Amino acid sequence: MRTTVEFQSDKEAADAMYASYQKLKEEIGKVIVGQDETVKLVLTAMFCQGHALLEGVPGLAKTLLIQTISSVMDLEFNRVQFTPDLMPSDILGAETMDKDRQFKFVKGPIFSNIVLADEINRTPPKTQSALLEAMQERSVTIANQHFALPAPFFVLATQNPIEQEGTYPLPEAQLDRFIFNITLDYPSYEDEVNIVKNTTSSTKPKAGQVVTAEEIIAFQELVRKVPIADNVVEYAVKLVGKTRPGTAHATEFTNRYLEWGAGPRASQFLVMAAKCNALLNGKYSPDIEDVQEVALPIMRHRVVRNFKAEAEGITIQDVIRELL
């Protein structure tokens, strides 16, 4: 049975979280070369009790990154390869008849601390929605039986932005369930040299365990308790409001290039992620710079461009950077 981790004060807990983050970076860095910003965003999502969507071309170590994070956190990990014929029961589990002719529920891979939904856009909407319901409720219902998912629980999904044939893009309402949309870019020349050296030698680097599930839960509770000034909250809400064309806070740039803006969940995630970002930077309270630092991956998948923006080559990143 898991026990709770107790700290003498919130300041002590904040210092412990910062120290753990430094150790996590060090251990993950033994296996994953570069991608420091991606690692920070994935850990931020986890400490905010959120889920993350990673997009990148094949070969950028998305799967290895998630496996490494699960090992340094001593968490149970399951990978599900999404395919067009995948059924909801393949993820959630199903009732089967045992040798005594009694029905029993066999749990699926969703019953894990970290679930990697590999190429989530390759499975039909019916199966996608089964996973996304579990993400929102952190529980599943099978044959009128309610099953709670283990804590902590995270879904880290990947998408390949190149191959779109035979895929089922996630609708905006389902994308909204992810706190971050993280894009992975090609490594730098120096990082790629190190990657090739590490992966073509006879020895494979291993990352050691740093934090336990109990500590993660304690850090999640701490993030919610972090104080935040009213002006920082108001900045986050106004920033989201600027993405909504035709409203009071909309800018001329917004009205010209956006079809739809971000919803209230974006404001909530901005505040939560800013709190966590402050802690990971060794601060005890977030400021406007923390909101700005997490704004792009939070709002990237919640804002929809119009035809004029597409015709002129204006990207979502261009819009968000203009608002910032």
Side-chain angles (χ1 to χ4, degrees), residues 88-271:
S89 58
D90 296 327
I91 301 173
L92 306 180
E95 278 199 326
T96 61
M97 186 177 290
D98 61 18
K99 61 182 180 181
D100 299 321
R101 291 183 168 274
Q102 298 294 321
F103 282 103
K104 67 174 183 179
F105 177 64
V106 178
K107 293 181 178 179
I110 194 74
F111 288 88
S112 186
N113 297 119
I114 295 182
V115 177
L116 168 58
D118 219 352
E119 295 193 282
I120 189 173
N121 57 332
R122 292 205 173 277
T123 201
K126 181 179 180 180
T127 306
Q128 288 177 359
S129 60
L131 172 68
L132 294 165
E133 181 183 359
M135 289 166 53
Q136 182 72 13
E137 307 298 333
R138 284 179 161 76
S139 62
V140 298
T141 302
I142 304 290
N144 294 324
Q145 294 188 69
H146 192 73
F147 299 93
L149 295 173
F153 172 71
F154 315 103
V155 171
L156 300 175
T158 68
Q159 282 191 155
N160 177 353
I162 299 177
E163 298 177 50
Q164 296 303 321
E165 187 175 347
T167 62
Y168 304 84
L170 290 171
E172 278 69 21
Q174 293 182 345
L175 282 172
D176 199 43
R177 306 283 177 90
F178 293 96
I179 181 171
F180 291 138
N181 181 357
I182 305 169
T183 57
L184 282 76
D185 208 348
Y186 293 109
S188 66
Y189 172 77
E190 293 78 11
D191 285 342
E192 190 161 355
V193 168
N194 290 326
I195 290 169
V196 173
K197 286 181 179 178
N198 289 348
T199 55
T200 57
S201 64
S202 58
T203 58
K204 286 190 176 181
K206 285 189 177 182
Q209 182 196 324
V210 176
V211 296
T212 64
E214 295 81 11
E215 289 173 313
I216 295 169
I217 293 171
F219 294 152
Q220 289 175 338
E221 294 171 354
L222 172 67
V223 169
R224 289 193 167 273
K225 292 161 68 176
V226 169
I228 184 169
D230 287 345
N231 69 303
V232 180
V233 175
E234 290 165 6
Y235 175 83
V237 174
K238 286 179 182 177
L239 180 61
V240 173
K242 286 180 181 179
T243 68
R244 301 166 184 166
T247 62
H249 292 291
T251 67
E252 183 182 346
F253 197 83
T254 299
N255 290 327
R256 186 185 307 143
Y257 292 119
L258 291 186
E259 186 74 25
W260 295 101
R265 192 173 280 162
S267 302
Q268 296 169 339
F269 284 154
L270 276 175
V271 169

Side-chain angles (χ1 to χ4, degrees), residues 253 257-258 260 296 299-306 309 313-323:
F253 197 83
Y257 292 119
L258 291 186
W260 295 101
L296 182 58
M299 298 168 66
R300 180 188 284 129
H301 56 302
R302 294 183 164 88
V303 175
V304 181
R305 294 178 299 164
N306 59 21
I314 302 295
T315 66
I316 292 296
Q317 286 87 336
D318 295 332
V319 174
I320 296 172
R321 291 192 179 106
E322 174 70 22
L323 298 180

